[in-house]
Amino acid sequence: MKAIRIHEFGGPEVLRYEDVPDPRPRKDQVLVRIRACALNHLDLWVRGGIPGVKLPHILGSDIAGEIAEVGEYLTGFHEGQRVLLAPMHFCNHCEYCAAGSQTLCREFTVLGNGVDGGNCELIVVPAVNVIPIPEHLSFDEAASVPLVFLTAWHMLVDRARIRHGQTVLVLGAGSGVGIAAIQIAKLFHARIITTAGDEKKLAKAAALGADFGINHYQHKISQEVRRITNKEGVDIVVEHVGEATWGESMKSLKPGGTIVTCGATTGPNIAFDLRFLFARQLSFLGSYMGTMGDLHQALKFVFDGTFKTVVDRAFPLAETRAAHEYMQSSQMFGKIVLNP
Ligand SMILES: [Zn+2]
Protein backbone atom coordinates (compact mmCIF):
# COMPACT_ATOMS: atom_id res chain seq x y z
CA MET A 1 0.00 0.00 0.00
CA LYS A 2 0.94 3.65 -0.21
CA ALA A 3 1.77 5.45 3.02
CA ILE A 4 3.23 8.67 4.29
CA ARG A 5 6.09 7.74 6.60
CA ILE A 6 8.77 9.60 8.48
CA HIS A 7 12.26 8.08 8.74
CA GLU A 8 13.61 10.98 10.80
CA PHE A 9 12.10 13.82 12.81
CA GLY A 10 11.94 17.32 11.38
CA GLY A 11 9.90 19.74 9.28
CA PRO A 12 7.33 18.89 6.57
CA GLU A 13 10.20 17.78 4.30
CA VAL A 14 10.62 14.51 6.29
CA LEU A 15 7.19 13.24 5.14
CA ARG A 16 7.80 10.53 2.52
CA TYR A 17 5.13 9.09 0.24
CA GLU A 18 6.20 5.49 -0.32
CA ASP A 19 5.22 1.83 -0.66
CA VAL A 20 4.97 -0.28 2.47
CA PRO A 21 3.73 -3.87 2.96
CA ASP A 22 -0.06 -4.26 3.41
CA PRO A 23 -0.99 -4.99 7.05
CA ARG A 24 -2.74 -8.34 7.66
CA PRO A 25 -5.48 -8.77 10.30
CA ARG A 26 -5.28 -11.43 12.98
CA LYS A 27 -8.42 -13.51 13.57
CA ASP A 28 -9.55 -11.06 16.27
CA GLN A 29 -8.91 -7.90 14.22
CA VAL A 30 -10.52 -5.80 11.51
CA LEU A 31 -8.80 -4.55 8.36
CA VAL A 32 -10.04 -1.12 7.29
CA ARG A 33 -9.56 0.57 3.91
CA ILE A 34 -8.92 4.21 4.82
CA ARG A 35 -10.91 6.84 2.91
CA ALA A 36 -10.08 9.86 5.05
CA CYS A 37 -7.64 10.72 7.81
CA ALA A 38 -7.83 14.09 9.56
CA LEU A 39 -4.83 16.06 10.77
CA ASN A 40 -4.30 17.15 14.35
CA HIS A 41 -1.61 19.28 15.97
CA LEU A 42 -0.35 15.99 17.36
CA ASP A 43 0.85 15.11 13.83
CA LEU A 44 3.12 18.15 13.87
CA TRP A 45 4.48 17.26 17.32
CA VAL A 46 5.13 13.64 16.33
CA ARG A 47 6.76 14.67 13.04
CA GLY A 48 9.01 17.10 14.94
CA GLY A 49 10.03 14.36 17.39
CA ILE A 50 8.51 13.28 20.72
CA PRO A 51 9.60 10.37 22.94
CA GLY A 52 8.18 6.91 22.27
CA VAL A 53 7.92 7.13 18.47
CA LYS A 54 9.73 4.31 16.65
CA LEU A 55 11.02 5.07 13.13
CA PRO A 56 10.01 4.64 10.38
CA HIS A 57 6.56 5.76 11.48
CA ILE A 58 3.12 6.37 9.94
CA LEU A 59 1.32 9.47 11.30
CA GLY A 60 -2.41 10.09 11.53
CA SER A 61 -4.97 9.60 14.33
CA ASP A 62 -8.45 10.31 12.96
CA ILE A 63 -9.57 7.63 10.52
CA ALA A 64 -12.72 6.84 8.56
CA GLY A 65 -13.15 4.19 5.88
CA GLU A 66 -14.70 0.88 4.90
CA ILE A 67 -14.16 -2.52 6.43
CA ALA A 68 -12.05 -4.59 4.01
CA GLU A 69 -11.79 -7.81 6.03
CA VAL A 70 -13.20 -9.13 9.30
CA GLY A 71 -11.22 -11.58 11.44
CA GLU A 72 -13.01 -14.92 11.77
CA TYR A 73 -13.42 -14.64 15.57
CA LEU A 74 -15.50 -11.47 15.20
CA THR A 75 -19.22 -11.00 14.66
CA GLY A 76 -21.31 -7.91 14.01
CA PHE A 77 -19.16 -6.42 11.26
CA HIS A 78 -19.25 -6.93 7.51
CA GLU A 79 -17.09 -6.09 4.53
CA GLY A 80 -17.88 -2.72 3.00
CA GLN A 81 -19.33 -1.35 6.25
CA ARG A 82 -18.65 2.38 6.67
CA VAL A 83 -16.87 3.08 9.94
CA LEU A 84 -14.73 5.48 11.89
CA LEU A 85 -12.02 4.37 14.29
CA ALA A 86 -11.52 5.31 17.93
CA PRO A 87 -8.17 7.12 17.70
CA MET A 88 -6.43 5.29 20.50
CA HIS A 89 -4.62 2.12 21.48
CA PHE A 90 -5.02 0.44 24.89
CA CYS A 91 -4.68 -3.08 26.31
CA ASN A 92 -8.45 -3.56 26.92
CA HIS A 93 -7.88 -5.94 29.85
CA CYS A 94 -6.14 -4.06 32.69
CA GLU A 95 -8.08 -2.72 35.69
CA TYR A 96 -8.31 0.76 34.12
CA CYS A 97 -9.50 -0.46 30.73
CA ALA A 98 -12.00 -2.79 32.40
CA ALA A 99 -13.32 0.16 34.43
CA GLY A 100 -13.69 2.26 31.29
CA SER A 101 -10.76 4.57 32.06
CA GLN A 102 -8.67 3.66 29.01
CA THR A 103 -6.59 6.85 29.19
CA LEU A 104 -5.01 5.58 32.44
CA CYS A 105 -3.94 2.25 30.86
CA ARG A 106 -0.17 1.71 30.81
CA GLU A 107 -0.37 0.87 27.12
CA PHE A 108 -2.52 3.87 26.27
CA THR A 109 -1.37 5.84 23.27
CA VAL A 110 -2.88 7.62 20.31
CA LEU A 111 -3.02 6.08 16.83
CA GLY A 112 -0.24 7.73 14.85
CA ASN A 113 1.72 8.50 18.03
CA GLY A 114 2.93 5.42 19.94
CA VAL A 115 1.68 3.09 17.18
CA ASP A 116 1.36 3.51 13.41
CA GLY A 117 -1.60 5.60 12.28
CA GLY A 118 -3.76 6.31 9.26
CA ASN A 119 -1.72 8.28 6.73
CA CYS A 120 -1.92 5.22 4.48
CA GLU A 121 -4.43 3.03 2.63
CA LEU A 122 -5.03 0.17 5.08
CA ILE A 123 -4.96 -0.29 8.84
CA VAL A 124 -5.56 -3.20 11.20
CA VAL A 125 -7.30 -2.51 14.54
CA PRO A 126 -9.09 -4.43 17.32
CA ALA A 127 -12.88 -4.60 17.08
CA VAL A 128 -13.31 -2.22 20.05
CA ASN A 129 -11.95 0.63 17.90
CA VAL A 130 -14.42 0.11 15.05
CA ILE A 131 -17.58 2.24 15.14
CA PRO A 132 -20.16 2.15 12.28
CA ILE A 133 -21.22 5.57 10.93
CA PRO A 134 -24.57 6.67 9.44
CA GLU A 135 -25.00 7.07 5.67
CA HIS A 136 -25.42 10.84 5.84
CA LEU A 137 -21.93 11.34 7.25
CA SER A 138 -19.21 11.54 4.57
CA PHE A 139 -15.81 9.94 5.22
CA ASP A 140 -14.20 13.40 5.44
CA GLU A 141 -16.79 14.49 8.01
CA ALA A 142 -16.46 11.27 10.00
CA ALA A 143 -12.65 11.56 10.11
CA SER A 144 -12.94 15.14 11.40
CA VAL A 145 -14.72 14.01 14.56
CA PRO A 146 -13.09 11.44 16.86
CA LEU A 147 -9.99 12.97 18.46
CA VAL A 148 -11.28 16.48 19.05
CA PHE A 149 -14.83 15.60 20.16
CA LEU A 150 -13.51 12.86 22.45
CA THR A 151 -10.94 15.28 23.90
CA ALA A 152 -13.37 18.16 24.38
CA TRP A 153 -16.02 15.87 25.89
CA HIS A 154 -13.51 14.47 28.39
CA MET A 155 -12.31 18.00 29.26
CA LEU A 156 -15.71 19.58 29.84
CA VAL A 157 -17.87 16.71 31.05
CA ASP A 158 -15.50 14.36 32.92
CA ARG A 159 -12.77 16.69 34.14
CA ALA A 160 -14.32 20.16 34.55
CA ARG A 161 -17.78 18.71 35.34
CA ILE A 162 -19.64 21.40 33.40
CA ARG A 163 -23.07 22.29 34.77
CA HIS A 164 -26.06 23.85 33.06
CA GLY A 165 -25.88 27.60 32.71
CA GLN A 166 -22.18 28.08 33.48
CA THR A 167 -20.01 30.57 31.59
CA VAL A 168 -17.25 28.96 29.55
CA LEU A 169 -14.30 30.55 27.76
CA VAL A 170 -13.19 28.43 24.79
CA LEU A 171 -9.80 29.47 23.39
CA GLY A 172 -9.12 29.06 19.69
CA ALA A 173 -12.54 28.95 18.04
CA GLY A 174 -11.10 27.73 14.73
CA SER A 175 -9.26 24.75 16.22
CA GLY A 176 -10.77 21.30 16.24
CA VAL A 177 -10.99 21.23 20.04
CA GLY A 178 -12.49 24.74 20.00
CA ILE A 179 -15.21 23.76 17.53
CA ALA A 180 -16.09 20.68 19.58
CA ALA A 181 -15.94 22.49 22.95
CA ILE A 182 -18.27 25.28 21.81
CA GLN A 183 -20.89 22.73 20.74
CA ILE A 184 -20.55 20.57 23.86
CA ALA A 185 -20.80 23.64 26.13
CA LYS A 186 -23.91 24.66 24.18
CA LEU A 187 -25.46 21.28 24.93
CA PHE A 188 -25.22 22.29 28.62
CA HIS A 189 -26.84 25.67 27.89
CA ALA A 190 -23.61 27.42 28.80
CA ARG A 191 -22.89 31.05 28.02
CA ILE A 192 -19.91 30.74 25.67
CA ILE A 193 -17.14 33.23 25.03
CA THR A 194 -14.57 32.28 22.41
CA THR A 195 -11.43 33.74 20.84
CA ALA A 196 -9.95 33.82 17.33
CA GLY A 197 -7.55 35.89 15.28
CA ASP A 198 -10.04 37.23 12.74
CA GLU A 199 -13.66 38.23 12.38
CA LYS A 200 -14.52 35.52 9.83
CA LYS A 201 -13.59 32.81 12.32
CA LEU A 202 -15.57 34.53 15.06
CA ALA A 203 -18.64 34.66 12.81
CA LYS A 204 -18.32 30.91 12.13
CA ALA A 205 -17.95 30.28 15.87
CA ALA A 206 -21.14 32.25 16.51
CA ALA A 207 -22.95 30.04 14.00
CA LEU A 208 -21.84 27.01 16.07
CA GLY A 209 -23.26 28.50 19.25
CA ALA A 210 -20.70 30.92 20.71
CA ASP A 211 -22.44 33.88 22.37
CA PHE A 212 -19.45 36.25 22.39
CA GLY A 213 -16.28 36.44 20.30
CA ILE A 214 -12.99 38.09 21.20
CA ASN A 215 -10.45 38.97 18.52
CA HIS A 216 -7.26 38.16 20.43
CA TYR A 217 -5.14 40.36 18.17
CA GLN A 218 -7.26 43.42 18.94
CA HIS A 219 -8.18 42.88 22.59
CA LYS A 220 -6.71 41.52 25.79
CA ILE A 221 -8.75 38.37 26.44
CA SER A 222 -9.15 38.84 30.22
CA GLN A 223 -10.24 42.48 29.87
CA GLU A 224 -12.91 41.53 27.35
CA VAL A 225 -14.05 38.61 29.52
CA ARG A 226 -14.42 40.98 32.48
CA ARG A 227 -16.40 43.40 30.34
CA ILE A 228 -18.70 40.69 28.91
CA THR A 229 -19.31 39.04 32.30
CA ASN A 230 -19.76 42.32 34.17
CA LYS A 231 -16.46 41.71 36.05
CA GLU A 232 -17.54 38.24 37.22
CA GLY A 233 -15.23 36.08 35.11
CA VAL A 234 -15.93 32.61 33.75
CA ASP A 235 -16.49 29.25 35.45
CA ILE A 236 -14.37 27.21 33.03
CA VAL A 237 -11.59 27.97 30.56
CA VAL A 238 -10.95 25.38 27.84
CA GLU A 239 -7.17 25.70 27.30
CA HIS A 240 -4.95 24.10 24.67
CA VAL A 241 -2.87 27.11 23.63
CA GLY A 242 -0.37 27.10 26.53
CA GLU A 243 2.33 29.70 27.04
CA ALA A 244 0.75 32.45 24.94
CA THR A 245 -2.58 32.50 26.81
CA TRP A 246 -2.15 30.90 30.27
CA GLY A 247 -1.88 34.20 32.14
CA GLU A 248 -4.98 35.53 30.38
CA SER A 249 -6.85 32.31 31.11
CA MET A 250 -6.08 32.63 34.83
CA LYS A 251 -7.19 36.25 34.93
CA SER A 252 -10.44 35.35 33.14
CA LEU A 253 -11.59 32.94 35.88
CA LYS A 254 -14.08 33.80 38.58
CA PRO A 255 -13.11 32.73 42.14
CA GLY A 256 -13.45 28.95 42.35
CA GLY A 257 -13.12 28.67 38.57
CA THR A 258 -11.41 25.91 36.59
CA ILE A 259 -8.90 25.82 33.76
CA VAL A 260 -8.89 22.50 31.95
CA THR A 261 -6.06 21.99 29.48
CA CYS A 262 -5.24 19.37 26.87
CA GLY A 263 -2.42 21.00 24.95
CA ALA A 264 0.40 23.48 24.66
CA THR A 265 0.38 24.57 21.03
CA THR A 266 2.43 27.73 21.72
CA GLY A 267 4.76 26.10 24.24
CA PRO A 268 4.65 24.12 27.49
CA ASN A 269 6.35 26.37 30.05
CA ILE A 270 4.09 28.56 32.15
CA ALA A 271 4.65 30.40 35.42
CA PHE A 272 2.11 31.77 37.86
CA ASP A 273 1.84 33.19 41.36
CA LEU A 274 0.84 30.33 43.65
CA ARG A 275 -1.03 32.77 45.90
CA PHE A 276 -3.41 33.51 43.04
CA LEU A 277 -4.23 29.80 42.81
CA PHE A 278 -4.98 29.19 46.49
CA ALA A 279 -6.46 32.53 47.49
CA ARG A 280 -8.96 32.42 44.65
CA GLN A 281 -9.46 28.64 45.07
CA LEU A 282 -8.87 27.90 41.41
CA SER A 283 -8.53 24.45 39.84
CA PHE A 284 -6.07 23.64 37.05
CA LEU A 285 -6.92 20.30 35.47
CA GLY A 286 -5.03 18.22 32.95
CA SER A 287 -6.94 16.22 30.38
CA TYR A 288 -5.59 13.76 27.84
CA MET A 289 -7.72 12.33 25.05
CA GLY A 290 -10.78 10.55 26.53
CA THR A 291 -12.38 7.20 27.21
CA MET A 292 -14.33 4.95 24.85
CA GLY A 293 -17.40 6.00 26.83
CA ASP A 294 -16.67 9.68 26.09
CA LEU A 295 -16.30 8.91 22.41
CA HIS A 296 -19.57 6.98 22.17
CA GLN A 297 -21.44 9.69 24.08
CA ALA A 298 -20.11 12.51 21.89
CA LEU A 299 -20.78 10.49 18.72
CA LYS A 300 -24.47 10.16 19.55
CA PHE A 301 -24.79 13.92 19.13
CA VAL A 302 -22.69 13.89 15.95
CA PHE A 303 -24.76 11.10 14.41
CA ASP A 304 -28.11 12.76 15.23
CA GLY A 305 -26.92 16.10 13.79
CA THR A 306 -26.81 18.05 17.08
CA PHE A 307 -23.04 18.54 16.70
CA LYS A 308 -21.83 19.86 13.35
CA THR A 309 -18.65 18.55 11.78
CA VAL A 310 -16.43 21.23 10.28
CA VAL A 311 -14.05 20.24 7.49
CA ASP A 312 -11.88 23.10 6.26
CA ARG A 313 -10.09 21.43 3.36
CA ALA A 314 -9.08 18.03 1.97
CA PHE A 315 -5.73 17.11 0.39
CA PRO A 316 -4.73 13.91 -1.45
CA LEU A 317 -2.54 11.70 0.76
CA ALA A 318 0.40 12.27 -1.61
CA GLU A 319 0.20 15.99 -0.75
CA THR A 320 0.46 15.53 3.03
CA ARG A 321 3.42 17.90 3.10
CA ALA A 322 1.28 20.74 1.72
CA ALA A 323 -1.41 19.86 4.26
CA HIS A 324 1.11 20.14 7.14
CA GLU A 325 2.35 23.49 5.83
CA TYR A 326 -1.24 24.71 5.58
CA MET A 327 -1.92 23.62 9.15
CA GLN A 328 1.19 25.42 10.41
CA SER A 329 -0.10 28.62 8.78
CA SER A 330 -3.16 28.52 11.13
CA GLN A 331 -5.53 29.76 8.41
CA MET A 332 -8.01 26.92 8.82
CA PHE A 333 -11.38 26.88 10.54
CA GLY A 334 -12.04 23.23 11.19
CA LYS A 335 -10.28 20.07 10.20
CA ILE A 336 -7.82 19.35 7.43
CA VAL A 337 -8.37 15.91 5.90
CA LEU A 338 -6.14 13.61 3.83
CA ASN A 339 -7.64 11.26 1.22
CA PRO A 340 -5.64 8.12 0.32
ZN1 LIG B 1 -5.41 -1.31 29.76
Side-chain angles (χ1 to χ4, degrees):
M1 66 171 177
K2 289 287 186 193
I4 292 281
R5 286 203 301 187
I6 55 170
H7 294 255
E8 60 188 319
F9 298 119
E13 70 282 355
V14 302
L15 299 164
R16 280 200 224 163
Y17 187 58
E18 57 192 11
D19 290 303
V20 304
D22 286 359
R24 291 293 309 145
R26 295 187 319 229
K27 290 176 180 178
D28 59 346
Q29 290 177 321
V30 179
L31 178 70
V32 173
R33 180 162 297 282
I34 298 167
R35 298 299 184 193
C37 184
L39 255 61
N40 291 283
H41 266 281
L42 179 65
D43 296 274
L44 306 186
W45 293 114
V46 173
R47 190 200 69 209
I50 53 177
V53 178
K54 291 192 199 91
L55 299 174
H57 178 72
I58 302 175
L59 301 167
S61 309
D62 273 331
I63 299 163
E66 291 154 310
I67 292 180
E69 197 176 325
V70 182
E72 68 170 277
Y73 295 167
L74 302 176
T75 55
F77 298 110
H78 60 84
E79 267 180 49
Q81 199 169 9
R82 302 170 75 254
V83 297
L84 64 74
L85 302 185
M88 56 261 207
H89 166 91
F90 45 89
C91 83
N92 210 21
H93 56 73
C94 72
E95 65 175 294
Y96 298 110
C97 287
S101 300
Q102 291 87 7
T103 49
L104 302 177
C105 173
R106 289 174 76 122
E107 279 188 28
F108 186 87
T109 186
V110 184
L111 296 188
N113 180 0
V115 295
D116 277 340
N119 287 184
C120 54
E121 294 176 311
L122 295 163
I123 190 166
V124 158
V125 287
V128 67
N129 287 72
V130 181
I131 301 172
I133 58 173
E135 280 302 317
H136 64 80
L137 208 61
S138 72
F139 290 125
D140 285 1
E141 289 168 339
S144 77
V145 170
L147 191 145
V148 291
F149 275 89
L150 153 89
T151 298
W153 189 277
H154 193 62
M155 290 174 85
L156 277 169
V157 182
D158 295 342
R159 301 292 287 137
R161 307 237 169 233
I162 186 172
R163 294 196 307 274
H164 277 235
Q166 287 188 314
T167 304
V168 179
L169 171 63
V170 177
L171 298 182
S175 68
V177 166
I179 286 167
I182 288 169
Q183 298 187 80
I184 294 164
K186 200 74 202 168
L187 194 69
F188 286 84
H189 305 285
R191 190 159 65 133
I192 301 157
I193 306 170
T194 193
T195 69
D198 69 60
E199 300 302 320
K200 269 191 204 159
K201 287 185 183 178
L202 290 174
K204 289 180 183 173
L208 291 172
D211 300 290
F212 303 95
I214 300 172
N215 183 325
H216 60 239
Y217 290 128
Q218 288 173 359
H219 298 284
K220 231 175 139 60
I221 293 170
S222 60
Q223 278 175 5
E224 278 297 284
V225 166
R226 281 174 63 79
R227 188 185 63 74
I228 292 164
T229 60
N230 202 15
K231 297 189 182 161
E232 265 212 319
V234 301
D235 296 286
I236 300 170
V237 180
V238 174
E239 250 287 352
H240 48 98
V241 181
E243 268 178 35
T245 54
W246 190 267
E248 287 300 292
S249 294
M250 280 183 59
K251 285 189 220 159
S252 298
L253 285 179
K254 64 168 69 161
T258 299
I259 300 178
V260 59
T261 182
C262 70
T265 310
T266 58
N269 297 307
I270 56 138
F272 61 86
D273 184 335
L274 202 50
R275 293 168 296 186
F276 197 79
L277 174 72
F278 66 69
R280 292 176 67 81
Q281 303 195 66
L282 306 178
S283 299
F284 297 166
L285 303 176
S287 190
Y288 183 56
M289 296 290 287
T291 67
M292 285 303 297
D294 294 323
L295 180 59
H296 281 280
Q297 283 190 297
L299 284 176
K300 276 182 203 163
F301 295 103
V302 173
F303 293 165
D304 77 5
T306 305
F307 293 161
K308 307 294 176 220
T309 59
V310 184
V311 176
D312 179 90
R313 196 168 155 188
F315 290 78
L317 181 65
E319 292 170 26
T320 300
R321 179 175 174 170
H324 276 228
E325 287 165 348
Y326 179 63
M327 185 167 209
Q328 282 172 333
S329 76
S330 291
Q331 298 167 56
M332 67 281 181
F333 186 94
K335 302 297 285 180
I336 300 163
V337 176
L338 302 169
N339 299 128

